[in-house]
Amino acid sequence: MALAPNPAASVAVRAGRNLRHLNPSTVFEPPTAPAGKTFLPGPVLLLGAPGVGKGTQAQILMADFAIPQISTGDILRHNIASGTDLGLKAKSLIDKGILVDDQLVQTMVGKRLTGHEDVLTGFILDGFPRTLGQATWLDGFLLKLRQNAPGTDLEGQGITLPVVAVNLVADYNELLHRITGRRTCPVCKSIYNIYSNPPKVAGRCDLEGAALIQRPDDTEPVFAERMKTFEAQTAPVIEYYRRQNRFREVKADLSLAEVTSSIVSALHDLRSPAKS
């Protein structure tokens, strides 16, 4: 979902182009929102296993805080569709069956963060950072913005805050049921779950009466592989943010509103002055 730029953010983003990597052991002391201003969520990395409801929560946070979602997939497709220099480079790699390298993705993310005013109070990170290298690069990029902020229009803005990570967690079997129990109406696209939200008539849509279908990848073997991939990719990233006290876990097997409330509480805690 694309959001219009935050009308309160009426300044132009100015940032240096020189980036530097940080020592992973560096510990940040997250600043709070400036006096007289509303809470700034800043950059938020929302993590979660398949089926945990991360996408739904991201949409709620975007609407509540009027912040955008920074999706590397969306940025990549936009650059390719727009025919930018970065997009052309990425397309040439994709056409050859080569993965787009970190440096190219990072350059695209950097341009997105310094080219739009909608990110000034914060943003939800989607699909980035996936690796320890990407996490340290992003910290270096945002720290550079912080160093350039005093006396500029960026001073006190959420974009200069360090990244905080919130991981949504749920029991494996709960996630398995959410994925393997999912059924969709091919006509009206209504979504059911045979365990938690079954149709009135088994296998039939309540509205259309059409036979419900299950996606080919909503099976236990596929889910198990996706979980292995998720855990392998995110473990180093989680540990990186945990060591710096920029990480919280939130139970995702509660009601939608309770999960949202827990995430917001975690963000307020993470953005509070460093505790002694």
Side-chain angles (χ1 to χ4, degrees):
M1 180 177 77
L3 294 181
N6 183 353
S10 58
V11 298
V13 180
R14 296 197 296 269
R17 293 180 179 273
N18 296 325
L19 310 177
R20 71 179 183 183
H21 290 282
L22 297 182
N23 186 321
S25 64
T26 301
V27 177
F28 288 95
E29 294 185 1
T32 55
K37 290 192 176 182
T38 57
F39 174 74
L40 300 177
V44 178
L45 173 58
L46 200 58
L47 300 166
V52 80
K54 177 169 61 72
T56 299
Q57 291 298 331
Q59 295 296 318
I60 294 173
L61 294 175
M62 289 164 62
D64 286 351
F65 291 122
I67 58 178
Q69 188 174 50
I70 305 299
S71 164
T72 50
D74 290 345
I75 293 173
L76 185 61
R77 286 187 288 270
H78 171 75
N79 275 272
I80 292 175
S82 301
T84 66
D85 289 341
L86 293 174
L88 293 174
K89 290 179 183 178
K91 187 175 186 303
S92 67
L93 294 175
I94 294 172
D95 289 345
K96 295 174 184 176
I98 302 173
L99 291 176
V100 179
D101 59 88
D102 277 2
Q103 184 175 0
L104 189 55
V105 172
Q106 289 164 183
T107 301
M108 289 183 180
V109 170
K111 285 184 175 295
R112 173 65 176 90
L113 295 180
T114 56
H116 301 80
E117 295 180 0
D118 61 345
V119 300
L120 289 180
T121 55
F123 47 88
I124 304 294
L125 291 159
D126 177 16
F128 185 93
R130 288 186 183 275
T131 66
L132 183 59
Q134 291 177 351
T136 56
W137 173 86
L138 184 58
D139 272 349
F141 184 85
L142 295 177
L143 180 60
K144 189 67 177 180
L145 293 184
R146 290 177 65 186
Q147 292 173 335
N148 288 351
T152 74
D153 290 334
L154 278 177
E155 187 171 11
Q157 297 293 342
I159 191 175
T160 61
L161 297 172
V163 175
V164 293
V166 177
N167 188 33
L168 305 184
V169 295
D171 178 75
Y172 181 91
N173 288 330
E174 168 68 18
L175 296 177
L176 179 63
H177 282 175
R178 290 186 186 184
I179 294 294
T180 61
R182 184 163 52 193
R183 301 291 187 273
T184 306
C185 174
V187 179
C188 67
K189 308 305 179 184
S190 294
I191 299 176
Y192 300 86
N193 189 289
I194 61 174
Y195 301 108
S196 60
N197 180 37
K200 295 175 181 178
V201 177
R204 293 285 174 180
C205 175
D206 292 347
L207 301 177
E208 303 292 339
L212 300 177
I213 60 175
Q214 181 182 28
R215 284 169 39 179
D217 56 345
D218 282 351
T219 61
E220 185 168 355
V222 173
F223 172 75
E225 285 302 313
R226 290 176 66 192
M227 284 294 293
K228 289 180 182 178
T229 300
F230 168 76
E231 291 170 354
Q233 285 184 337
T234 59
V237 175
I238 286 175
E239 183 57 26
Y240 174 76
Y241 290 113
R242 191 196 300 272
R243 287 202 310 266
Q244 301 176 53
N245 195 27
R246 291 192 280 152
F247 175 81
R248 296 290 185 275
E249 284 190 342
V250 167
K251 292 184 63 177
D253 52 0
L254 306 173
S255 71
L256 190 66
E258 288 174 319
V259 175
T260 302
S261 178
S262 296
I263 294 173
V264 173
S265 294
L267 292 178
H268 277 269
D269 182 49
L270 287 164
R271 294 301 182 196
S272 66
K275 299 177 179 62
S276 58

